[in-house]
């Protein structure tokens, strides 16, 4: 589920996802207990459509959401959403 806070202070979140062959990227939205949100881009674009691939989100380089650009990440974090982001 997406509503379970992290334990400790992990450096990354790794997921197994099935690509769609688009070459687009995944982006994750994480939230602190105070509600501040942060964005993280996946380590690799979505690739093969015939097998699951491992993608990682680096939790040491989170970007504050535009709504609160001066926020600082703190743990625990909760994964709020995953989105496919079109490549340029």
């Amino acid at each position: 589920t997406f509503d379970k806070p992290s334990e400790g202070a992990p450096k990354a979140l790794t997921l197994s996802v099935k690509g769609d062959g688009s070459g687009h990227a995944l982006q994750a939205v994480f939230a602190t207990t105070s509600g501040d949100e942060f964005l993280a881009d996946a380590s690799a674009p979505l690739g093969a459509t015939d097998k699951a691939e491992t993608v990682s989100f680096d939790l040491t380089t989170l970007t504050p959401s535009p709504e609160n650009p001066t926020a600082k990440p703190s743990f625990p974090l909760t994964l709020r959403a995953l989105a496919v982001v079109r490549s340029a």
Side-chain angles (χ1 to χ4, degrees), residues 16 21 29 36-37 43 53 62 68-69 71 74-75 80:
S16 180
V29 178
D36 291 327
E37 293 188 338
S43 56
E53 299 176 292
L62 295 170
N68 192 359
S74 61
F75 292 94
R80 283 263 173 96

Side-chain angles (χ1 to χ4, degrees), residues 3 6 31 39 44 61 66 75 77 80 82 84:
D3 61 355
S6 63
L39 308 175
T61 59
F75 292 94
L77 289 171
R80 283 263 173 96
L82 285 174
V84 175

